Amino acid sequence: MRGTRISLCNPRIHQPFNAHFNWVGGPLDGTYSGAENIRGVWEKFTKAVGASKVSVDKLEESANPKGATVTANVQFEAKQPIKVRYVLTYRDGKIVSETWQIDPKLAVSGY
C-alpha cells in the first residue's frame, strides 16, 4: 500500500465522549480524551508536519461482533520521516481508542 492516502485524523469518526488517543513518544506524547482534545492534537500535528506522503504497511484487522482492532506500520514523509505503529479500536463503527507509538526503527516496506 505504498503511497496510499488514508485519513488517520478525522475527529468525526471518534466516539465524542469516550474516545482516547494515546500518543507514545515525540513532542505530542500524552493521552488525549474527547473529540475536542483529539482534534486539537491533530491540528498541532498537521501544522508541524505540513504536507506529507503517507505509506502504510502490515495493515491488519481483527474483528468479532463486539468490535474490531486495526493495526498498521505507518510512515509520514514530511520534513523528516515519522514512523508510527498505529492501533485503532472500533466499537459500533466508531473509534474508541487510538494509539500512535512513535518508533524510528519501525520497518515500513519500501523504505
Side-chain angles (χ1 to χ4, degrees), residues 15-31:
Q15 287 284 359
F17 302 107
N18 299 324
H20 299 284
F21 180 36
N22 300 296
W23 195 301
V24 184
L28 297 174
D29 182 79
T31 299

Side-chain angles (χ1 to χ4, degrees), residues 2-24:
R2 186 166 194 254
T4 301
R5 289 181 176 225
I6 56 176
S7 177
L8 298 175
C9 55
N10 184 347
R12 291 175 291 183
I13 61 174
H14 287 85
Q15 287 284 359
F17 302 107
N18 299 324
H20 299 284
F21 180 36
N22 300 296
W23 195 301
V24 184

Side-chain angles (χ1 to χ4, degrees), residues 89-105:
T89 303
Y90 291 85
R91 291 188 181 272
D92 298 322
K94 300 278 187 175
I95 298 171
V96 295
S97 177
E98 180 174 3
T99 299
W100 276 42
Q101 172 73 53
I102 304 298
D103 184 353
K105 297 180 182 177

Side-chain angles (χ1 to χ4, degrees), residues 6 8 55-60 70-74 84-88 99 106 108:
I6 56 176
L8 298 175
S55 295
V56 179
D57 191 29
K58 298 184 181 175
L59 181 66
E60 297 181 61
V70 176
T71 61
N73 292 350
V74 179
V84 176
R85 179 67 178 153
Y86 193 61
V87 181
L88 292 165
T99 299
L106 189 70
V108 178

